[in-house]
Amino acid sequence: MEEIHKIVLRKNRVLLVDDLDTQFLMAHMIQEDVFTQDMAELINSERTRRTRVEKFLDFLLTRGPNAYATFLTSLEESYGFIKDTLIACEEQLRDRNQVAGGCRRGRIDDLNEDETTLKKGLDLPVPQQETELKAKVEDEWPNPIQEHGQPVHERGEPVRRHEEPMEPDAPDWLDNIDRRRKVTEIELCVLARDMGHEWETAATMLGFRRGQIDQMKANHPFTMSLQINDMLCRWKAKEASNATIVRLVKTLRQARVDDEIIHTAFTEHR
């Protein structure tokens, strides 16, 4: 498995453990010779769904070059929104490596710098000069390509991210949030857990058509939280660098989502 795919899996591990059920994936993984029957028995011997997913992901990281692509294919039928999230994450990592790497383009290990907490201390220290340079590059060159493929910068001049203006009645806690900070998968999961039927109004205001909303509901007919998470993850992937907390909060409040639900999602895990 390529290093970048291992990073994508680590970055999205919380989402995967929260939402996946291995019973919908295992047959395909065995059929394509990624997992053996013995591995499947070890995974199924775990007592809870979450620990089965943990074991599944641990095995997946050790498999061959076709393991990641096979895993993505196994997600298509029941977990299309997770597949879209993983693909978007990989694209963002490759774009960031292309800009921040400079003459070191293609060194995927550079992407590990922001994975310290996810790797539980397994990363080696990064030289101070390189860390400072990467931070400066990411601040001044946030994303080399916009949604429609047009360059963000011309003639080598950096362009700053557009900052979403605060609403006059914005909650006080939002003043402590960097306006440019993008939402995280954990925050979206908390929102999906707590939001109610107003999510369909929010989805419309976030740019989704009625047919798309109906498809999200059809993908997860028995679990509203999965429908909401599907919608939020698609929005995050679509907006890319513009998927900021300020922008999402503004829309959710306009959709009459309870302020306490919004506050919990963006402060509970800080």
Side-chain angles (χ1 to χ4, degrees), residues 6-231:
K6 294 180 181 179
I7 295 172
V8 170
L9 292 174
R10 282 191 288 265
K11 276 184 169 291
N12 292 278
R13 192 175 181 95
V14 171
L15 172 66
L16 296 172
V17 171
D18 282 349
D19 286 354
L20 290 184
D21 191 328
T22 57
Q23 67 174 318
F24 300 118
L25 311 175
M26 195 65 70
H28 184 74
M29 301 299 283
I30 294 174
Q31 174 184 303
E32 299 301 319
D33 295 326
V34 173
F35 285 169
T36 65
Q37 192 63 47
D38 288 342
M39 289 179 176
E41 291 176 2
L42 285 172
I43 292 169
N44 291 330
S45 68
E46 296 291 330
R47 299 183 62 182
T48 68
R49 181 197 61 78
R50 294 180 66 88
T51 55
R52 286 193 291 272
V53 178
E54 293 273 9
K55 180 72 74 175
F56 179 97
L57 294 174
D58 290 341
F59 276 135
L60 183 61
L61 290 169
T62 68
R63 307 308 288 164
N66 297 324
Y68 185 75
T70 302
F71 174 59
L72 288 184
T73 302
S74 74
L75 297 174
E76 289 178 355
E77 183 173 349
S78 301
Y79 299 104
F81 74 98
I82 293 181
K83 178 182 178 181
D84 292 343
T85 299
L86 298 181
I87 291 173
C89 180
E90 179 181 349
E91 291 174 350
Q92 290 172 7
L93 288 174
R94 291 190 185 278
D95 286 345
R96 185 190 308 174
N97 193 51
Q98 179 178 347
V99 173
C103 63
R104 296 177 287 104
R105 180 179 180 183
R107 281 184 51 191
I108 299 302
D109 51 308
D110 294 334
L111 298 172
N112 289 329
E113 295 174 21
D114 63 348
E115 292 237 316
T116 304
T117 56
L118 291 167
K119 288 189 162 186
K120 302 179 181 178
L122 295 179
D123 285 342
L124 295 175
V126 179
Q128 183 68 23
Q129 306 94 312
E130 184 172 340
T131 302
E132 292 174 353
L133 174 61
K134 186 165 187 269
K136 184 174 185 297
V137 168
E138 288 185 345
D139 184 49
E140 294 185 350
W141 302 75
N143 190 347
I145 301 295
Q146 289 179 332
E147 180 181 348
H148 300 293
Q150 298 299 319
V152 173
H153 48 78
E154 297 179 1
R155 295 190 295 275
E157 297 178 1
V159 174
R160 299 281 182 175
R161 286 188 185 93
H162 168 68
E163 293 188 357
E164 191 77 16
M166 292 286 192
E167 295 177 274
D169 63 340
D172 293 339
W173 61 265
L174 203 55
D175 293 337
N176 300 320
I177 301 289
D178 182 350
R179 297 189 198 183
R180 299 174 300 173
R181 186 167 84 74
K182 294 188 289 184
V183 296
T184 67
E185 278 77 13
I186 293 177
E187 290 163 344
L188 296 184
C189 285
V190 176
L191 275 174
R193 178 194 69 190
D194 296 339
M195 283 176 63
H197 291 283
E198 67 273 15
W199 79 269
E200 295 188 43
T201 302
T204 300
M205 299 179 72
L206 289 171
F208 292 101
R209 298 185 300 275
R210 183 71 249 173
Q212 293 173 306
I213 296 172
D214 290 341
Q215 184 60 55
M216 296 170 198
K217 296 170 72 174
N219 289 343
H220 314 283
F222 306 112
T223 312
M224 184 186 296
S225 62
L226 289 181
Q227 297 169 6
I228 300 171
N229 199 60
D230 189 349
M231 181 271 291

